[in-house]
Amino acid sequence: MNNQGQQEKIAVVTGSSSGIGFETSLLLSRNGVYTYATMRNLNKSQQINDVAEKENLPLKVLQLDVTDDKSVKDAIRQVKDESSRIDVLINNAGYDVMGAVEDISIEEFKSQFETNLFGVIRVTKEVLPIMRNQRAGNIINISSVG
Ligand SMILES: NC(=O)c1ccc[n+]([C@@H]2O[C@H](COP(=O)([O-])OP(=O)(O)OC[C@H]3O[C@@H](n4cnc5c(N)ncnc54)[C@H](OP(=O)(O)O)[C@@H]3O)[C@@H](O)[C@H]2O)c1
């Protein structure tokens, strides 16, 4: 419950250490959504934690590497245990591979798919049963025209 006695909305954002994920996590929490700002490397959490603390935002950083089954399961289980629901999932974690096709190895392409495609599926598979159970929820996938 928030301090108006209403059911607090809960969001999970992947890739919150920088860029769109960082800003989206802050935007959601500034608008009163309790936001789990997840990132694979907690050593990058200081900046968002500093802002959240300074502005007294409803934001918590959790470790979540979208390429790691256990990390995804542990993070989503923690959200469920603490908050009992997930209203919004923002699949943001991802990266660009720049260059000509002949200069990029198959391994580099496969790694990108492991994050940008299978990472989205991995996190969504953990979150969907929670949303189905509550019969509501929004999933936003940050993609690319490329
Ligand atoms: N900005 C653009 O113009 C643009 C254009 C097209 C698509 N996009 C897409 O928008 C999304 C955000 O991009 P951005 O511009 O904000 O780039 P960014 O600042 O590089 O942010 C990418 C985020 O994804 C995280 N990430 C990468 N691999 C991960 C993994 N295995 N598990 C968890 N997190 C991981 C990064 O974490 P680390 O800090 O640990 O690396 C970082 O937090 C990406 O999916 C990107 O493909 C952006």
Side-chain angles (χ1 to χ4, degrees):
M1 294 284 170
N2 62 20
N3 47 18
Q4 276 93 45
Q6 296 156 332
Q7 175 72 55
E8 194 169 44
K9 297 276 185 204
I10 307 295
V12 173
V13 183
T14 65
S16 295
S17 64
S18 65
I20 296 169
F22 178 91
E23 294 298 338
T24 303
S25 290
L26 289 177
L27 185 70
L28 285 163
S29 59
R30 282 175 179 140
N31 281 282
V33 177
Y34 191 96
T35 302
Y36 288 90
T38 73
M39 58 191 70
R40 62 179 164 176
N41 180 0
L42 291 178
N43 292 332
K44 295 185 176 180
S45 64
Q46 188 171 344
Q47 197 186 356
I48 200 164
N49 272 330
D50 285 350
V51 179
E53 196 179 331
K54 191 169 165 217
E55 298 183 30
N56 196 22
L57 298 174
L59 182 149
K60 181 169 185 172
V61 172
L62 286 187
Q63 197 278 341
L64 190 160
D65 181 336
V66 301
T67 65
D68 178 340
D69 282 340
K70 183 174 184 314
S71 165
V72 172
K73 282 180 192 292
D74 287 351
I76 300 303
R77 189 181 306 116
Q78 187 173 341
V79 174
K80 192 180 173 201
D81 288 349
E82 287 180 8
S83 297
S84 307
R85 59 185 295 113
I86 298 175
D87 297 286
V88 183
L89 166 65
I90 307 214
N91 284 313
N92 163 77
Y95 65 94
D96 207 3
V97 174
M98 299 285 273
V101 169
E102 65 267 38
D103 293 332
I104 298 167
S105 69
I106 287 291
E107 284 316 311
E108 288 172 291
F109 282 121
K110 283 185 174 174
S111 293
Q112 190 195 25
F113 271 69
E114 194 55 45
T115 299
N116 292 23
L117 176 64
F118 297 115
V120 171
I121 294 170
R122 195 173 279 114
V123 180
T124 303
K125 276 173 74 69
E126 289 305 310
V127 170
L128 266 179
I130 299 169
M131 291 184 169
R132 281 197 200 286
N133 189 45
Q134 68 203 23
R135 300 180 68 84
N138 291 288
I139 299 174
I140 297 166
N141 297 324
I142 310 292
S143 186
S144 165
V145 287

